[in-house]
Amino acid sequence: MNERLMQSTGSPWLAGSAFPDAGALHEDTVADVCVVGGGIAGLTTAYLLGKAGKNVVVLEAEHLAAGESGRTTAHLASALDDRFTELEKLHGSEGARLAAESHAAAIDRIEAVARDEGISCDFARVDGYLFAPRDEQRDVLDRELAAARRAGLEVEPLPRAPWPSYDTGPCLRFSRQGQFHPGKYLAALASAVRRQGGRIFVHSPVKVFEGGAKARAETRAGHAVRAGALVVATNTPVNDRMAIHTKQFPYRTYAVAFGLPTGSVPRALYWDTEDPYHYVRLAEAPGGREILIVGGEDHKTGQGRRHEPDCFSRLEAWTRERFPEAGEEEYRWSGQVMEPLDGLAFIGRNPGDENVFIATGDSGHGMTHGTIAGLLLTDLILGRENPWAKVYEPSRKSLRAAGEFVRENVNVAAQYLDWVMPGEVGGAAKIAPGEGAVVREGLRKVAVCKDSDGKVHRHSAVCPHLGCIVHWNDAEKSWDCPCHGSRFSPQGQVINGPALGGLAPAES
Ligand SMILES: Cc1cc2nc3c(=O)[nH]c(=O)nc-3n(C[C@H](O)[C@H](O)[C@H](O)COP(=O)(O)OP(=O)(O)OC[C@H]3O[C@@H](n4cnc5c(N)ncnc54)[C@H](O)[C@@H]3O)c2cc1C
Ligand code: FES
């Protein structure tokens, strides 16, 4: 059985995107820089370092854009969803200004790379509209308008966003935002890395990370890359067991794409101020048609809403009320974002390691955060000054976010109570084909799922990272850990870190 046979969702970005052919790493090698992870952060870093003359090797566990970069909605926004009012409180007015400046520069850089490399990736400059659907939230917009202007963004208040069939109420219009097709962009970026002499290896999961004068990454197959610098761009830092994972928290987020009569809704980015919030854009579909992509319904991974497919139903209901012109559903998918406790990514030197760099904490702005990672890590590795280094420093102390730190880590600690709870169902007989549940067998907890043919898969329900009990995700047909976001296939193989290995067999 294919390891993802039960996976039920997919985005519009990967089919038809021409990624260069690549094989697995089959021997030891050396490079100036070894980049681990073939998403936007890893490929942008590899591209910019290659352009600066560095000899780069990229190691990807699966295929390029296999992670969240293939599951994004690809808004390119400097209007940050953690809000400038909050970022000012957490990072001061200069920190908020640097955050705005860096995200705007990332959009500029994507535009420049697409132009310089001749990449047809549907890049477009669009406006972004932030609206407050409920009366009591309207002062949020007034405060955000002032804070975003202080941060240096071009923004103006308007009575409503330009939706033809629905009055959003007052909104803010942010200029010079962007959108693109991430599959086309990343496929071309990978080809550019190759043209510069960079080497890309897929199906090469790294399991050992070592810092030092000659840093080292060793794949599960036992082949190693020695390099002057190691960049861990695996979305969540799989080289780190604890430190960063107490400062960022995994959330699932959902997206649905509907057919749309071309030109019926103005092309722009749209966001509301609800909690959880909604995000909307349009995109070109094959044949020149237009699709409307609506995202939202975020919740902590493995927690809260126990039936993930309901998140799609809620998104559809929300969309049909506001966009009566929306046609058939064409795609649905979900993914994971890492929410840093103070709203900004962690990009820079890995705390306590020599010549090891990380990029994580994307907070739903990973297209721009990943591009900032490319720019910032290139400067750090080349020994150049970068004005954003301090705000993204991974070892920073976020004292102003101490309340959030306590709240989130108490939530993580509470997940260990699952050890003493009864199983979710009495036994495998109660589990339908295509579903899974945790079953108690004496003192053990067993993750039991059935594939569509009714074949039973049994694994230990204990996450190999730090021992929380996994939960079944019925939308993605995966086992998700509620503590730090590790995820596993029905066959127990690891899909997302920080776990580096899979679930143990149930009978071990
Ligand atoms: C539904 C959804 C909507 C989103 N919308 C937006 C948006 O509109 N705008 C925006 O800016 N961001 C958005 N995001 C966030 C954005 O997509 C991500 O933050 C971004 O893609 C992360 O890029 P990355 O390169 O850090 O990680 P990834 O793309 O996940 O890449 C990491 C790679 O590392 C590989 N890997 C992992 N472990 C190993 C290992 N041990 N060895 C080798 N390789 C390994 C993985 O296979 C993966 O390919 C959204 C995310 C989701 C899920
Ligand atoms: S991801 Fe940390 S315990 Fe599972």
Side-chain angles (χ1 to χ4, degrees):
M1 188 174 79
N2 177 309
E3 91 173 53
R4 294 276 178 99
L5 184 69
M6 289 212 281
Q7 185 164 318
S8 64
T9 74
S11 80
W13 311 124
L14 296 189
S17 295
F19 284 91
D21 279 341
L25 181 71
H26 284 304
E27 58 187 5
D28 292 358
T29 188
V30 292
D32 294 333
V33 182
C34 176
V35 175
V36 183
I40 192 164
L43 288 175
T44 307
T45 307
Y47 169 75
L48 293 174
L49 283 165
K51 211 171 160 57
K54 291 286 174 192
N55 174 350
V56 183
V57 165
V58 177
L59 297 177
E60 160 57 45
E62 278 194 52
H63 56 82
L64 297 176
E68 308 313 324
S69 298
R71 308 183 77 78
T72 185
T73 54
H75 295 218
L76 300 175
S78 57
L80 299 180
D81 63 8
D82 279 290
R83 308 274 175 267
F84 288 98
T85 35
E86 277 306 301
L87 292 172
E88 269 187 350
K89 279 188 218 152
L90 293 166
H91 299 276
S93 52
E94 180 59 5
R97 190 192 69 72
L98 288 167
E101 176 187 275
S102 58
H103 284 269
I107 304 171
D108 291 348
R109 180 55 67 114
I110 291 170
E111 183 176 32
V113 170
R115 186 190 56 233
D116 296 348
E117 299 292 341
I119 302 175
S120 304
C121 60
D122 308 337
F123 177 91
R125 286 284 179 180
V126 289
D127 289 332
Y129 295 90
L130 174 69
F131 59 94
R134 287 184 284 119
D135 282 342
E136 72 269 23
Q137 292 179 332
R138 304 242 156 117
D139 69 318
V140 171
L141 291 187
D142 296 336
R143 285 186 278 119
E144 190 60 10
L145 173 66
R149 281 182 171 161
R150 282 193 296 276
L153 292 183
E154 217 178 291
V155 48
E156 64 167 346
L158 291 175
R160 61 177 278 183
W163 288 357
S165 317
Y166 187 87
D167 185 357
T168 59
C171 70
L172 303 181
R173 183 172 72 83
F174 291 81
S175 308
R176 293 190 62 72
Q177 308 299 295
Q179 64 175 47
F180 70 159
H181 186 300
K184 292 179 184 172
Y185 179 78
L186 292 175
L189 202 60
S191 299
V193 169
R194 278 276 190 75
R195 277 197 304 279
Q196 291 164 346
R199 289 168 288 162
I200 297 176
F201 299 97
V202 296
H203 304 300
S204 303
V206 174
K207 63 159 198 197
V208 178
F209 298 83
E210 288 170 8
K214 272 286 171 211
R216 186 171 172 277
E218 183 185 318
T219 64
R220 211 176 286 158
H223 306 298
V225 180
R226 282 203 170 274
L230 187 56
V231 173
V232 184
T234 50
N235 194 238
T236 187
V238 293
N239 57 323
D240 175 75
R241 194 146 173 82
M242 190 78 173
I244 297 292
H245 305 295
T246 60
K247 303 205 292 186
Q248 65 178 15
F249 308 95
Y251 281 74
R252 300 299 299 167
T253 185
Y254 297 79
V256 185
F258 304 87
L260 194 72
T262 301
S264 57
V265 176
R267 279 205 179 186
L269 308 180
Y270 304 97
W271 317 285
D272 69 16
T273 54
E274 293 286 313
D275 184 16
Y277 82 120
H278 300 89
Y279 46 99
V280 179
R281 66 165 280 193
L282 289 89
E284 271 165 44
R289 294 175 309 105
E290 231 169 18
I291 50 174
L292 175 74
I293 302 175
V294 180
E297 291 294 331
D298 299 18
H299 63 86
K300 278 202 88 169
T301 297
Q303 296 185 30
R305 304 164 196 225
R306 286 302 301 123
H307 195 235
E308 288 84 359
D310 291 346
C311 296
F312 292 121
S313 310
R314 281 192 289 271
L315 271 187
E316 174 167 9
W318 187 93
T319 306
R320 300 236 176 261
E321 190 186 336
R322 286 156 184 83
F323 297 97
E325 30 320 63
E328 291 287 297
E329 177 186 314
E330 300 196 9
Y331 302 89
R332 60 166 58 185
W333 70 99
S334 70
Q336 188 150 292
V337 292
M338 303 307 296
E339 288 293 344
L341 67 97
D342 63 7
L344 293 181
F346 300 104
I347 304 168
R349 291 174 202 286
N350 191 43
D353 259 338
E354 190 187 354
N355 294 326
V356 180
F357 300 82
I358 56 171
T360 189
D362 46 40
S363 79
H365 284 279
M367 294 289 107
T368 39
H369 266 144
T371 305
I372 293 167
L375 293 161
L376 176 47
L377 296 183
T378 297
D379 281 349
L380 293 181
I381 290 167
L382 296 179
R384 300 192 298 223
E385 291 284 309
N386 184 298
W388 313 321
K390 200 157 160 244
V391 282
Y392 292 113
E393 168 61 53
S395 63
R396 68 183 181 264
K397 300 271 179 289
S398 306
L399 293 179
R400 293 181 194 172
E404 188 68 1
F405 179 85
V406 171
R407 193 177 66 77
E408 287 284 9
N409 284 299
V410 165
N411 171 287
V412 170
Q415 303 313 310
Y416 286 92
L417 288 174
D418 279 348
W419 273 91
V420 294
M421 302 301 263
E424 291 163 348
V425 297
K430 307 260 186 219
I431 298 171
E435 292 184 2
V438 173
V439 175
R440 176 172 281 288
E441 293 181 359
L443 290 177
R444 296 184 316 161
K445 288 220 147 175
V446 182
V448 183
C449 62
K450 282 186 186 164
D451 65 26
S452 23
D453 302 330
K455 184 176 169 204
V456 177
H457 301 271
R458 290 165 47 85
H459 293 90
S460 164
V462 180
C463 174
H465 176 229
L466 292 173
C468 287
I469 300 295
V470 296
H471 289 266
W472 179 248
N473 175 340
D474 206 22
E476 296 297 342
K477 310 297 181 195
S478 61
W479 294 106
D480 295 1
C481 180
C483 286
H484 314 103
S486 293
R487 298 180 54 243
F488 307 89
S489 72
Q491 293 74 27
Q493 287 140 332
V494 65
I495 302 172
N496 277 90
L500 273 167
L503 296 175
E507 328 320 317
S508 67

